[in-house]
Amino acid sequence: MAAVPGVRALLSLHRSVILQRSFGLVPVQLASTSLSRRLCSATTRNNEPKPPVASENESLLENLNLMGVDVTMARKRQPGVFRKSFTNEHGLAQFLKGKGASPKVIASIISRYPRAITRSIDHLEQRWKLWRNIFCTDAEIVSILARSPESFFRSSDNENLEKNIHFLISLGLIRKDLHRLLTTAPRTFSNSLELNKQMVELLEDICTELGGQNPEQFVKTIISRNLYILIRSTKRVKSNIDTLRSALKLTDSELLALLEGHGASILDLSNEYLKKNFINLQQKMISHGCRKSDIKKMIISYPIILYIGPETLNAKLDCLLKGGITIKQILEKPKVLDYSTQNIAGRLEELQRVGYDFKKNGINILDTSRKRFDAKIEKLAASLDS
């Protein structure tokens, strides 16, 4: 049995040379004494049996180093991969190279998601084919893998992926919708099919309970407006809907309209975070003389405001009020809160410099693109000089 490690060492040498050739590297000269030391080190004194130790695969480490993989990063992320006896780093590299990935991209993919090297060629081919049902080119898929390797390699269940694709298509989602889901919330496709079905059934039931006439369209609308919805729990989504109903005192028709509109975009928030943001918003606005009915109207027209945490929201509101904006103007145009506090402060300063009158002209100018804003400032500055 003492000869087994020696055989592994020879296999290590063989795999290393093959990998170097595939990446166009100059073969490394290995001194025979190095191999001899490995063979000798495999023997044990007095033939005493030693307890098995989960050591790292030396051959794998050599190969990954030759490929330019950040082994330290990979080891931190998925250490168990390095103790596997058989891996497919060479096959993976050749496969991705054939799809147009550069050696640098391949190394980055493995560094961030080392479990990728455990996938067989057959598995990779089948999964790539399924992804090509959604994406038009190999280059698109390579681009996504370079950005988020987990999206492709996280799940090893190709059959489940195929079932989820067929299920989502059956909901009326088109190729463009699937493209957005796979790039933004890829875990949707590694969910069990049953899990996705449970969320869809919940949304259909909610639509029916609220008096909706088209549950299928309701589901499609929710998913298209909130790509993360299928990777959240049904408990979270149900709790958030209940919170919106009770906090805003919404009727069934009001709640249905909110969910079919931009309200869908906040359903993936944690329930505690949603409650905390609502309470802070309400207290802040009431402290400036707003009525609850004003706040309700504001949230219905711009539910994204509940995404903003207390500290950030308060800073933005204080900045606007300090800059001469009234609370009434903010209620009428809450979208100005989309921008960072720094952006808001900078724009207010520029507008004050050119004598912009918010009472006369309103605050729509704060909700414009940088290009349009700069053009307006230039025009106002020119009128001052003339």
Side-chain angles (χ1 to χ4, degrees):
M1 292 302 289
V4 174
V7 174
R8 287 179 180 165
L10 289 171
L11 287 173
S12 169
L13 175 63
H14 178 66
R15 291 172 70 187
S16 177
V17 171
I18 289 177
L19 194 63
Q20 293 174 61
R21 288 174 181 168
S22 71
F23 271 76
L25 300 172
V26 178
V28 177
Q29 294 290 331
L30 293 177
S32 59
T33 54
S34 173
L35 180 57
S36 176
R37 281 197 299 270
R38 287 192 192 178
L39 292 169
C40 292
S41 66
T43 63
T44 60
R45 293 181 180 180
N46 302 324
N47 293 321
E48 293 178 1
K50 289 188 175 182
V53 178
S55 58
E56 292 187 336
N57 184 332
E58 291 184 18
S59 171
L60 171 60
L61 289 171
E62 288 178 5
N63 288 342
L64 296 183
N65 279 315
L66 287 169
M67 295 168 69
V69 171
D70 186 334
V71 173
T72 302
M73 178 192 291
R75 188 183 282 118
K76 285 180 179 178
R77 295 193 173 209
Q78 291 163 354
V81 172
F82 292 87
R83 293 190 290 272
K84 289 187 176 293
S85 300
F86 301 100
T87 51
N88 189 33
E89 63 277 7
H90 175 64
L92 174 67
Q94 291 287 26
F95 177 82
L96 292 176
K97 185 178 179 182
K99 301 300 183 183
S102 68
K104 184 177 179 180
V105 167
I106 295 169
S108 175
I109 288 171
I110 298 173
S111 298
R112 288 176 292 142
Y113 203 79
R115 199 173 295 149
I117 64 175
T118 65
R119 307 301 186 224
S120 70
I121 294 299
D122 286 344
H123 169 87
L124 293 171
E125 290 282 6
Q126 185 183 9
R127 198 164 193 81
W128 200 276
K129 185 178 179 181
L130 290 171
W131 274 49
R132 278 301 303 269
N133 290 331
I134 299 173
F135 298 98
C136 297
T137 65
D138 288 342
E140 284 183 280
I141 301 178
V142 169
S143 175
I144 292 171
L145 265 61
R147 201 166 62 243
S148 174
E150 182 182 5
S151 61
F152 187 87
F153 296 106
R154 183 176 185 270
S155 171
S156 61
D157 192 341
N158 285 336
E159 183 180 354
N160 184 65
L161 170 62
E162 187 171 14
K163 287 178 179 178
N164 272 322
I165 290 174
H166 290 318
F167 174 65
L168 293 169
I169 290 174
S170 75
L171 299 178
L173 298 177
I174 59 176
R175 186 171 184 167
K176 181 181 177 182
D177 298 320
L178 297 182
H179 187 295
R180 292 173 61 226
L181 273 171
L182 202 47
T183 53
T184 307
R187 251 179 55 212
T188 299
F189 295 86
S190 57
N191 275 351
S192 69
L193 178 62
E194 184 57 35
L195 207 58
N196 285 336
K197 283 184 175 181
Q198 286 175 13
M199 180 60 77
V200 168
E201 288 169 4
L202 170 70
L203 294 175
E204 288 177 340
D205 289 345
I206 288 170
C207 177
T208 303
E209 288 170 12
L210 296 177
Q213 301 300 310
N214 194 337
E216 293 79 13
Q217 182 59 41
F218 179 79
V219 170
K220 184 179 175 182
T221 299
I222 296 288
I223 294 174
S224 64
R225 288 189 180 277
N226 191 331
L227 299 174
Y228 299 100
I229 195 77
L230 290 169
I231 60 175
R232 304 304 183 218
S233 69
T234 52
K235 180 181 178 181
R236 172 183 291 199
V237 173
K238 182 70 166 58
S239 295
N240 283 342
I241 291 173
D242 290 342
T243 295
L244 289 171
R245 182 202 289 271
S246 61
L248 298 175
K249 294 181 171 50
L250 298 170
T251 64
D252 286 352
S253 59
E254 286 176 328
L255 182 56
L256 182 64
L258 177 62
L259 297 177
E260 289 179 327
H262 294 294
S265 60
I266 61 173
L267 292 181
D268 66 299
L269 294 174
S270 80
N271 190 245
E272 288 306 310
Y273 185 73
L274 181 67
K275 287 179 180 178
K276 181 174 70 174
N277 291 353
F278 172 76
I279 291 170
N280 175 74
L281 172 65
Q282 183 169 259
Q283 290 175 344
K284 184 72 173 177
M285 299 303 283
I286 287 175
S287 72
H288 287 285
C290 296
R291 297 170 300 178
K292 288 185 177 181
S293 58
D294 296 325
I295 301 167
K296 175 180 177 179
K297 185 178 178 182
M298 182 190 196
I299 293 174
I300 289 175
S301 68
Y302 188 64
I304 303 296
I305 196 171
L306 293 177
Y307 249 109
I308 309 173
E311 187 177 338
T312 302
L313 178 68
N314 293 346
K316 290 181 180 183
L317 288 170
D318 291 342
C319 181
L320 287 165
L321 295 170
K322 186 179 177 181
I325 311 299
T326 67
I327 200 72
K328 183 181 178 182
Q329 287 175 313
I330 296 172
L331 283 169
E332 293 172 349
K333 188 69 176 179
K335 201 168 182 296
V336 295
L337 295 166
D338 257 357
Y339 301 88
S340 68
T341 307
Q342 183 180 3
N343 183 296
I344 293 170
R347 290 192 172 196
L348 288 172
E349 186 178 335
E350 290 184 69
L351 288 166
Q352 287 166 359
R353 179 171 52 82
V354 296
Y356 190 83
D357 188 341
F358 290 111
K359 289 182 179 180
K360 180 181 177 182
N361 301 310
I363 65 172
N364 284 344
I365 191 171
L366 292 174
D367 180 30
T368 57
S369 67
R370 185 77 239 183
K371 185 177 179 180
R372 290 185 64 187
F373 181 80
D374 288 344
K376 184 67 174 179
I377 290 293
E378 187 177 339
K379 184 178 179 181
L380 290 169
S383 67
L384 286 177
D385 295 334
S386 60

